[in-house]
Amino acid sequence: MAKSADVARNRRYWDGAGADAHGPVARAHWEAAEPSWGLWGTPEARAGVIPAGIAGQRVIELGCGTGYVSAWLARAGARVVGVDISARQLETARALRDEFGLGFALVQADAGRLPCRDGVFDFAISEYGASLWCDPHQWIPEAARLLAPGGRLVFLRPSPLFAMCLPERGEVRTELLRPLFGLRRLEWERGATEFNLPHGELIGLLRENGFEVEELLELAAPEGDPGTRWFSDDSTVEPGWARQWPTEEIWKVRRAG
């Protein structure tokens, strides 16, 4: 399938079933007193996603969805642009932005081809946005182009191990369902295409585009019983699984220069 077909496929999904699922829970994220990340709500105090001194920095969120991460950054004083491919997701984001009185920009665009000048941002972020739904061979070079020298990129995505154990439907398994070698593109029956490069290939791609890896956090479910998490429309993960193996990971990289 051509890359443009993946973009169109994911746009249809997020203007349909994806927006139906995420729109109703958007307000809870916007109302959160403190940022938390990913399926298990890893607190910002542990994850350290938002850099110190973010106030006044030029920030772009790649695949902003309903806009709550952009809202968190705007409240911290950043000058934010949220980008998403889905008109319906942006409709929700704009309504909540106006309701909460936050003045940041929202743009409908493909994160692999953005209408922005080179080097205009200090910080780029993606939480299950472009980092999952856009071809990394497109969005990572775009992030590098948009960032000023020394600019930072932080992104959260599923771990490759989780992707190898995740069925089309049902609970994540304790056995491998697909190989690591060749793990790049996952096309689901629900009508969406996800991307997940193995670590070695991802590190190589980041380096090719001038990024230095600063930190990789592999996230576990917290102690206690936070309950089952829906990863997608049809797939789930139990906290017991996610205390033994990483469900998701946070990458922190910096553009050289």
Side-chain angles (χ1 to χ4, degrees):
M1 184 184 292
K3 293 177 180 178
S4 59
D6 286 326
V7 172
R9 191 169 189 258
N10 283 345
R11 181 186 290 112
R12 286 193 299 271
Y13 174 76
W14 283 105
D15 277 338
D20 291 342
H22 287 260
V25 301
R27 179 176 297 278
H29 291 300
W30 275 74
E31 291 176 342
E34 299 291 340
S36 61
W37 305 98
L39 293 176
W40 307 105
T42 301
E44 170 62 16
R46 177 186 167 199
V49 168
I50 301 174
I54 195 71
Q57 289 194 14
R58 304 161 298 172
V59 173
I60 186 165
E61 185 185 359
L62 303 171
C64 67
T66 58
Y68 59 87
V69 172
S70 288
W72 295 341
L73 291 161
R75 289 190 188 113
R79 296 150 53 195
V80 184
V81 177
V83 175
D84 202 89
I85 200 169
S86 165
R88 279 193 64 197
Q89 290 280 81
L90 288 172
E91 181 180 347
T92 300
R94 290 189 181 102
L96 288 166
R97 177 196 62 183
D98 295 345
E99 178 183 337
F100 282 79
L102 293 174
F104 60 88
L106 290 165
V107 177
Q108 184 175 4
D110 171 15
R113 183 179 295 178
L114 291 166
C116 303
R117 292 181 291 109
D118 296 358
V120 295
F121 294 101
D122 305 300
F123 183 62
I125 187 168
S126 182
E127 186 205 34
Y128 283 116
S131 56
L132 177 60
W133 301 100
C134 187
D135 185 341
H137 291 92
Q138 293 181 316
W139 80 263
I140 286 176
E142 270 295 86
R145 181 183 70 80
L146 297 174
L147 285 169
R152 297 186 66 193
L153 166 65
V154 176
F155 58 96
L156 187 150
R157 68 169 197 161
S159 77
L161 178 60
F162 181 65
M164 288 189 289
C165 296
L166 190 68
E168 181 75 40
R169 293 182 177 84
E171 187 177 336
V172 66
R173 307 283 180 80
T174 56
E175 67 267 14
L176 300 176
L177 304 179
R178 53 185 63 87
L180 176 66
F181 298 127
L183 180 69
R184 293 179 181 86
R185 180 177 173 279
L186 303 175
E187 186 172 323
W188 301 106
E189 290 180 8
R190 64 181 184 271
T193 302
E194 298 175 0
F195 298 87
N196 195 311
L197 291 184
H199 287 151
E201 290 188 46
L202 181 55
I203 290 170
L205 180 61
L206 289 165
R207 286 179 173 169
E208 286 171 14
N209 287 279
F211 285 112
E212 301 170 351
V213 178
E214 295 186 318
E215 188 175 17
L216 169 60
L217 298 177
E218 294 175 302
L219 302 181
E223 293 301 322
D225 186 10
T228 300
R229 294 295 191 270
W230 287 90
F231 175 74
S232 68
D233 299 347
D234 301 304
S235 301
T236 63
V237 56
E238 296 290 338
W241 192 98
R243 292 192 194 105
Q244 298 181 78
W245 303 287
T247 314
E248 52 200 351
E249 54 193 31
I250 297 174
W251 289 74
K252 302 177 185 179
V253 306
R254 183 185 298 273
R255 185 171 180 260

Coordinates of all heavy atoms in Angstrom, one line a residue, residues 176-244:
L176 N 4.9 -14.7 21.6 CA 5.1 -13.8 20.4 C 4.1 -14.2 19.3 O 4.1 -15.3 18.9 CB 6.5 -13.9 20.0 CG 7.6 -13.5 21.0 CD1 9.0 -13.7 20.5 CD2 7.4 -12.0 21.4
L177 N 3.4 -13.2 18.7 CA 2.5 -13.4 17.6 C 3.1 -13.0 16.3 O 2.5 -13.4 15.3 CB 1.2 -12.7 17.9 CG 0.5 -13.0 19.2 CD1 -0.8 -12.2 19.4 CD2 0.2 -14.5 19.3
R178 N 4.1 -12.2 16.3 CA 4.7 -11.7 15.0 C 6.2 -11.5 15.3 O 6.6 -11.3 16.4 CB 4.0 -10.4 14.5 CG 4.0 -9.3 15.5 CD 3.2 -8.1 15.0 NE 1.8 -8.4 14.7 CZ 0.8 -8.3 15.6 NH1 1.0 -8.0 16.8 NH2 -0.4 -8.6 15.2
P179 N 7.0 -11.6 14.3 CA 8.5 -11.5 14.4 C 8.9 -10.0 14.7 O 8.3 -9.1 14.3 CB 9.0 -12.0 13.1 CG 7.9 -11.7 12.1 CD 6.6 -11.8 12.8
L180 N 10.1 -9.9 15.3 CA 10.7 -8.6 15.5 C 11.3 -8.1 14.2 O 11.1 -6.9 13.8 CB 11.8 -8.7 16.6 CG 12.6 -7.4 16.8 CD1 11.7 -6.3 17.4 CD2 13.8 -7.6 17.7
F181 N 12.0 -9.0 13.5 CA 12.6 -8.6 12.2 C 11.5 -8.3 11.2 O 10.6 -9.2 11.0 CB 13.6 -9.7 11.7 CG 14.7 -9.9 12.7 CD1 15.0 -11.2 13.1 CD2 15.5 -8.8 13.1 CE1 16.1 -11.4 13.9 CE2 16.6 -9.1 13.9 CZ 16.9 -10.3 14.4
G182 N 11.5 -7.1 10.7 CA 10.5 -6.7 9.7 C 9.3 -6.1 10.4 O 8.3 -5.7 9.7
L183 N 9.4 -5.9 11.8 CA 8.3 -5.2 12.5 C 8.3 -3.7 12.1 O 9.2 -3.0 12.7 CB 8.4 -5.4 14.0 CG 7.3 -4.8 14.8 CD1 6.0 -5.5 14.6 CD2 7.7 -4.8 16.3
R184 N 7.5 -3.3 11.3 CA 7.5 -1.8 10.9 C 6.0 -1.3 10.8 O 5.8 -0.2 11.4 CB 8.2 -1.7 9.6 CG 9.6 -2.0 9.6 CD 10.3 -1.8 8.2 NE 11.7 -2.1 8.3 CZ 12.2 -3.3 8.1 NH1 11.4 -4.4 7.9 NH2 13.5 -3.6 8.2
R185 N 5.2 -2.0 10.2 CA 3.9 -1.5 9.8 C 2.8 -2.5 10.2 O 2.9 -3.7 9.8 CB 3.8 -1.2 8.3 CG 2.6 -0.6 7.8 CD 2.8 -0.3 6.3 NE 1.6 0.1 5.7 CZ 0.6 -0.8 5.2 NH1 0.8 -2.1 5.4 NH2 -0.5 -0.3 4.7
L186 N 1.8 -2.1 11.0 CA 0.7 -3.1 11.4 C -0.6 -2.5 10.9 O -1.0 -1.4 11.3 CB 0.7 -3.2 13.0 CG 2.0 -3.6 13.6 CD1 1.9 -3.6 15.1 CD2 2.4 -5.0 13.2
E187 N -1.2 -3.3 10.0 CA -2.5 -2.9 9.5 C -3.6 -3.7 10.1 O -3.7 -4.9 10.0 CB -2.5 -3.1 8.0 CG -3.8 -2.6 7.3 CD -3.6 -2.7 5.8 OE1 -2.5 -2.4 5.2 OE2 -4.7 -3.0 5.1
W188 N -4.5 -3.0 10.9 CA -5.5 -3.7 11.7 C -6.9 -3.7 10.9 O -7.2 -2.8 10.1 CB -5.7 -2.9 13.0 CG -4.5 -2.9 13.8 CD1 -3.7 -1.8 14.1 CD2 -3.9 -3.9 14.6 NE1 -2.7 -2.1 14.9 CE2 -2.7 -3.4 15.2 CE3 -4.2 -5.3 14.8 CZ2 -1.9 -4.2 16.1 CZ3 -3.4 -6.1 15.6 CH2 -2.3 -5.5 16.2
E189 N -7.7 -4.7 11.2 CA -9.0 -4.9 10.6 C -9.9 -3.7 10.9 O -10.8 -3.4 10.2 CB -9.6 -6.2 11.0 CG -8.9 -7.4 10.4 CD -9.6 -8.7 10.9 OE1 -10.7 -8.6 11.5 OE2 -9.1 -9.8 10.7
R190 N -9.7 -3.1 12.1 CA -10.6 -2.0 12.5 C -10.4 -0.8 11.5 O -11.2 0.2 11.7 CB -10.3 -1.6 13.9 CG -8.9 -1.0 14.2 CD -8.8 -0.6 15.6 NE -7.5 0.0 16.0 CZ -6.4 -0.6 16.3 NH1 -6.4 -1.9 16.3 NH2 -5.3 0.0 16.6
G191 N -9.5 -0.8 10.6 CA -9.4 0.3 9.7 C -8.3 1.3 9.9 O -8.4 2.5 9.6
A192 N -7.2 0.9 10.6 CA -6.1 1.8 10.9 C -4.8 1.1 10.7 O -4.7 -0.1 10.7 CB -6.2 2.2 12.4
T193 N -3.8 2.0 10.4 CA -2.4 1.5 10.2 C -1.5 2.1 11.3 O -1.5 3.3 11.5 CB -1.9 1.9 8.8 OG1 -2.7 1.3 7.8 CG2 -0.5 1.3 8.7
E194 N -0.8 1.2 12.0 CA 0.1 1.7 13.1 C 1.6 1.4 12.6 O 1.8 0.5 11.8 CB -0.1 1.0 14.4 CG -1.5 1.3 15.0 CD -1.8 0.5 16.2 OE1 -0.9 -0.3 16.7 OE2 -2.9 0.7 16.8
F195 N 2.5 2.1 13.2 CA 3.9 1.9 12.8 C 4.7 1.7 14.1 O 4.5 2.4 15.1 CB 4.4 3.1 12.1 CG 3.7 3.4 10.7 CD1 2.6 4.1 10.7 CD2 4.2 2.8 9.6 CE1 1.9 4.4 9.5 CE2 3.5 3.0 8.4 CZ 2.4 3.8 8.3
N196 N 5.6 0.7 14.0 CA 6.4 0.4 15.2 C 7.8 -0.2 14.8 O 7.8 -1.4 14.5 CB 5.7 -0.5 16.2 CG 6.3 -0.6 17.5 OD1 7.5 -0.7 17.7 ND2 5.5 -0.5 18.5
L197 N 8.8 0.6 14.7 CA 10.1 0.1 14.4 C 10.8 -0.6 15.5 O 10.7 -0.1 16.7 CB 11.0 1.3 13.9 CG 10.7 1.9 12.6 CD1 11.8 3.0 12.2 CD2 10.5 1.0 11.4
P198 N 11.6 -1.6 15.3 CA 12.4 -2.2 16.4 C 13.4 -1.1 16.8 O 13.7 -0.2 16.1 CB 13.1 -3.3 15.7 CG 12.3 -3.7 14.5 CD 11.6 -2.4 14.1
H199 N 14.0 -1.3 18.0 CA 14.8 -0.3 18.6 C 16.0 0.1 17.8 O 16.4 1.2 17.6 CB 15.3 -0.8 20.0 CG 14.2 -0.7 21.0 ND1 14.2 -1.6 22.1 CD2 13.1 0.1 21.2 CE1 13.2 -1.3 22.9 NE2 12.5 -0.3 22.3
G200 N 16.7 -1.0 17.2 CA 17.9 -0.7 16.4 C 17.6 0.2 15.2 O 18.3 1.1 14.9
E201 N 16.5 -0.2 14.5 CA 16.1 0.6 13.3 C 15.7 2.0 13.7 O 16.1 3.0 13.0 CB 15.0 -0.1 12.6 CG 15.4 -1.4 11.9 CD 14.3 -1.9 11.0 OE1 13.7 -1.1 10.3 OE2 14.0 -3.1 11.1
L202 N 15.0 2.2 14.8 CA 14.6 3.5 15.3 C 15.8 4.4 15.6 O 15.9 5.5 15.3 CB 13.6 3.4 16.4 CG 13.1 4.7 17.0 CD1 12.4 5.6 15.9 CD2 12.1 4.4 18.1
I203 N 16.7 3.8 16.4 CA 17.9 4.6 16.7 C 18.7 5.0 15.5 O 19.2 6.1 15.4 CB 18.8 3.7 17.7 CG1 18.2 3.6 19.1 CG2 20.2 4.4 17.8 CD1 18.9 2.6 20.0
G204 N 18.8 4.1 14.5 CA 19.5 4.4 13.3 C 18.8 5.6 12.6 O 19.5 6.5 12.0
L205 N 17.5 5.5 12.5 CA 16.7 6.6 11.8 C 16.9 7.9 12.5 O 17.0 8.9 11.9 CB 15.2 6.2 11.8 CG 14.3 7.1 11.1 CD1 14.7 7.4 9.6 CD2 12.8 6.6 11.2
L206 N 16.8 7.9 13.9 CA 17.0 9.1 14.6 C 18.4 9.7 14.3 O 18.5 10.9 14.1 CB 16.8 8.9 16.1 CG 15.4 8.6 16.6 CD1 15.4 8.0 18.0 CD2 14.6 9.8 16.5
R207 N 19.4 8.9 14.4 CA 20.8 9.4 14.1 C 20.9 9.9 12.7 O 21.6 10.9 12.5 CB 21.8 8.3 14.4 CG 22.0 8.0 15.9 CD 23.0 6.8 16.1 NE 23.3 6.6 17.5 CZ 23.9 5.6 18.0 NH1 24.3 4.6 17.2 NH2 24.2 5.5 19.3
E208 N 20.3 9.2 11.7 CA 20.4 9.7 10.3 C 19.8 11.1 10.2 O 20.2 11.9 9.3 CB 19.6 8.8 9.4 CG 20.3 7.4 9.1 CD 19.3 6.5 8.4 OE1 18.3 7.0 7.9 OE2 19.6 5.3 8.3
N209 N 18.9 11.5 11.1 CA 18.2 12.8 11.0 C 18.8 13.7 12.1 O 18.1 14.7 12.4 CB 16.7 12.6 11.2 CG 16.1 12.0 9.9 OD1 15.9 12.7 9.0 ND2 15.9 10.7 9.9
G210 N 20.0 13.4 12.6 CA 20.7 14.4 13.4 C 20.2 14.4 14.9 O 20.5 15.4 15.6
F211 N 19.6 13.3 15.3 CA 19.1 13.3 16.7 C 20.1 12.5 17.6 O 20.6 11.5 17.1 CB 17.7 12.7 16.9 CG 16.6 13.6 16.4 CD1 15.9 13.3 15.3 CD2 16.3 14.7 17.2 CE1 14.8 14.1 14.9 CE2 15.3 15.5 16.8 CZ 14.5 15.3 15.6
E212 N 20.3 12.9 18.8 CA 21.0 12.2 19.8 C 20.1 11.7 20.9 O 19.3 12.4 21.4 CB 22.1 13.1 20.5 CG 23.1 13.7 19.5 CD 23.9 14.8 20.1 OE1 23.6 15.2 21.3 OE2 24.9 15.2 19.5
V213 N 20.1 10.4 21.1 CA 19.2 9.8 22.1 C 19.7 10.1 23.5 O 20.9 9.8 23.9 CB 19.1 8.3 22.0 CG1 18.2 7.7 23.0 CG2 18.5 7.9 20.6
E214 N 18.9 10.8 24.3 CA 19.2 11.2 25.7 C 18.7 10.2 26.7 O 19.4 9.9 27.7 CB 18.7 12.5 26.0 CG 19.3 13.7 25.2 CD 18.8 15.0 25.6 OE1 17.6 15.2 25.9 OE2 19.7 15.9 25.7
E215 N 17.5 9.6 26.5 CA 16.9 8.7 27.5 C 15.8 7.9 26.8 O 15.1 8.4 26.0 CB 16.4 9.5 28.7 CG 15.9 8.6 29.8 CD 15.5 9.4 31.0 OE1 15.2 10.6 30.9 OE2 15.4 8.8 32.1
L216 N 15.7 6.6 27.3 CA 14.6 5.8 26.9 C 14.0 5.2 28.2 O 14.7 4.5 28.9 CB 15.1 4.7 26.0 CG 14.1 3.5 25.7 CD1 12.8 4.0 25.0 CD2 14.7 2.4 24.8
L217 N 12.7 5.5 28.4 CA 12.0 5.0 29.6 C 11.0 4.0 29.1 O 10.2 4.2 28.3 CB 11.2 6.2 30.3 CG 12.0 7.3 30.9 CD1 11.1 8.4 31.4 CD2 13.0 6.8 31.9
E218 N 11.2 2.8 29.7 CA 10.2 1.7 29.4 C 9.3 1.6 30.6 O 9.7 1.4 31.8 CB 11.0 0.4 29.3 CG 11.8 0.4 28.0 CD 12.6 -0.9 27.8 OE1 13.4 -1.2 28.8 OE2 12.5 -1.6 26.8
L219 N 8.0 1.9 30.4 CA 7.0 2.1 31.4 C 6.3 0.8 31.8 O 5.9 0.0 31.0 CB 6.0 3.1 30.9 CG 6.5 4.5 30.5 CD1 5.3 5.4 30.1 CD2 7.3 5.1 31.6
A220 N 6.1 0.7 33.1 CA 5.4 -0.5 33.7 C 4.1 0.0 34.4 O 4.0 1.2 34.8 CB 6.3 -1.2 34.8
A221 N 3.2 -0.9 34.5 CA 2.0 -0.6 35.2 C 2.3 -0.4 36.7 O 3.2 -1.1 37.2 CB 0.9 -1.7 35.1
P222 N 1.7 0.5 37.4 CA 2.0 0.7 38.8 C 1.5 -0.4 39.7 O 0.6 -1.2 39.3 CB 1.3 2.0 39.1 CG 0.1 2.0 38.2 CD 0.6 1.4 36.9
E223 N 2.0 -0.5 40.9 CA 1.5 -1.4 41.9 C 0.1 -1.1 42.3 O -0.4 0.0 42.1 CB 2.4 -1.5 43.1 CG 3.8 -2.0 42.9 CD 3.8 -3.4 42.3 OE1 3.0 -4.2 42.8 OE2 4.7 -3.7 41.5
G224 N -0.6 -2.1 42.9 CA -2.1 -1.9 43.1 C -2.8 -2.5 41.9 O -2.3 -3.3 41.1
D225 N -4.0 -2.1 41.7 CA -4.8 -2.7 40.6 C -5.5 -1.6 39.8 O -6.6 -1.2 40.1 CB -5.9 -3.6 41.1 CG -6.6 -4.3 40.0 OD1 -6.2 -4.2 38.9 OD2 -7.6 -5.0 40.3
P226 N -4.8 -1.0 38.8 CA -5.4 0.1 38.0 C -6.5 -0.4 37.1 O -7.2 0.4 36.5 CB -4.2 0.7 37.3 CG -3.2 -0.4 37.2 CD -3.4 -1.2 38.5
G227 N -6.5 -1.8 36.9 CA -7.6 -2.3 36.0 C -7.1 -2.5 34.6 O -6.1 -2.0 34.1
T228 N -8.0 -3.2 33.8 CA -7.7 -3.4 32.4 C -7.7 -2.1 31.6 O -8.4 -1.2 31.9 CB -8.8 -4.3 31.8 OG1 -8.8 -5.6 32.5 CG2 -8.6 -4.6 30.3
R229 N -6.7 -2.1 30.7 CA -6.7 -0.9 29.8 C -7.0 -1.4 28.4 O -6.5 -2.4 27.9 CB -5.3 -0.3 29.8 CG -4.9 0.4 31.1 CD -5.8 1.6 31.4 NE -5.2 2.3 32.5 CZ -5.5 2.1 33.8 NH1 -6.4 1.2 34.1 NH2 -5.0 2.9 34.8
W230 N -7.8 -0.6 27.7 CA -8.1 -0.8 26.3 C -7.0 -0.1 25.5 O -6.8 1.1 25.6 CB -9.4 -0.2 25.9 CG -10.6 -1.0 26.4 CD1 -11.2 -0.9 27.6 CD2 -11.2 -2.1 25.7 NE1 -12.2 -1.8 27.7 CE2 -12.2 -2.6 26.6 CE3 -11.0 -2.7 24.5 CZ2 -13.0 -3.7 26.2 CZ3 -11.8 -3.8 24.1 CH2 -12.8 -4.3 25.0
F231 N -6.2 -0.9 24.7 CA -5.2 -0.3 23.9 C -5.8 0.2 22.6 O -5.4 1.2 22.1 CB -4.1 -1.3 23.6 CG -3.0 -0.7 22.6 CD1 -2.1 0.2 23.1 CD2 -3.0 -1.1 21.3 CE1 -1.2 0.8 22.2 CE2 -2.1 -0.6 20.4 CZ -1.2 0.3 20.9
S232 N -6.8 -0.5 22.1 CA -7.5 -0.1 20.9 C -8.9 -0.5 21.0 O -9.4 -0.8 22.1 CB -6.9 -0.9 19.7 OG -7.1 -2.3 19.8
D233 N -9.7 -0.4 19.9 CA -11.1 -0.7 20.0 C -11.3 -2.1 20.4 O -12.4 -2.4 21.1 CB -11.7 -0.5 18.6 CG -11.6 0.9 18.0 OD1 -11.3 1.8 18.8 OD2 -11.8 1.1 16.8
D234 N -10.4 -3.0 20.1 CA -10.7 -4.5 20.4 C -9.6 -5.2 21.2 O -9.8 -6.4 21.5 CB -10.8 -5.2 19.0 CG -11.9 -4.6 18.1 OD1 -13.0 -4.6 18.6 OD2 -11.6 -4.2 17.0
S235 N -8.5 -4.5 21.6 CA -7.4 -5.2 22.3 C -7.2 -4.6 23.7 O -7.4 -3.3 23.8 CB -6.1 -5.0 21.5 OG -6.3 -5.6 20.2
T236 N -6.9 -5.4 24.6 CA -6.7 -5.0 26.0 C -5.4 -5.5 26.6 O -4.8 -6.4 26.1 CB -7.9 -5.5 26.9 OG1 -7.8 -6.9 26.9 CG2 -9.2 -5.0 26.4
V237 N -5.0 -4.9 27.7 CA -3.8 -5.3 28.4 C -4.1 -5.2 29.9 O -4.7 -4.3 30.4 CB -2.6 -4.5 28.1 CG1 -2.8 -3.0 28.3 CG2 -1.4 -4.9 28.8
E238 N -3.8 -6.3 30.6 CA -3.9 -6.3 32.1 C -2.7 -5.8 32.8 O -1.6 -5.9 32.3 CB -4.2 -7.8 32.5 CG -5.5 -8.4 32.0 CD -6.7 -7.8 32.6 OE1 -6.6 -7.2 33.7 OE2 -7.8 -7.9 31.9
P239 N -2.9 -5.2 34.0 CA -1.7 -4.6 34.7 C -0.7 -5.7 35.0 O 0.5 -5.4 35.1 CB -2.3 -4.0 36.0 CG -3.7 -4.6 36.1 CD -4.1 -4.9 34.7
G240 N -1.1 -7.0 35.3 CA -0.1 -8.0 35.6 C 0.8 -8.2 34.4 O 2.0 -8.5 34.7
W241 N 0.4 -8.2 33.2 CA 1.2 -8.3 32.0 C 2.2 -7.1 32.0 O 3.4 -7.3 31.8 CB 0.4 -8.3 30.7 CG 1.2 -8.7 29.5 CD1 1.2 -9.9 28.9 CD2 2.0 -7.9 28.7 NE1 2.0 -9.9 27.8 CE2 2.5 -8.7 27.6 CE3 2.4 -6.6 28.8 CZ2 3.3 -8.2 26.7 CZ3 3.3 -6.1 27.8 CH2 3.7 -6.9 26.7
A242 N 1.7 -5.9 32.2 CA 2.5 -4.7 32.1 C 3.4 -4.4 33.3 O 4.2 -3.5 33.2 CB 1.5 -3.5 31.9
R243 N 3.3 -5.3 34.3 CA 4.4 -5.2 35.4 C 5.5 -6.1 35.1 O 6.6 -6.0 35.7 CB 3.7 -5.6 36.7 CG 2.7 -4.6 37.2 CD 2.4 -4.8 38.7 NE 1.2 -4.0 39.0 CZ -0.1 -4.5 39.1 NH1 -0.2 -5.8 39.0 NH2 -1.1 -3.8 39.4
Q244 N 5.4 -7.0 34.1 CA 6.5 -7.9 33.7 C 7.2 -7.5 32.5 O 8.4 -7.7 32.3 CB 5.9 -9.3 33.5 CG 5.3 -9.9 34.7 CD 4.8 -11.3 34.4 OE1 5.5 -12.3 34.4 NE2 3.5 -11.4 34.2

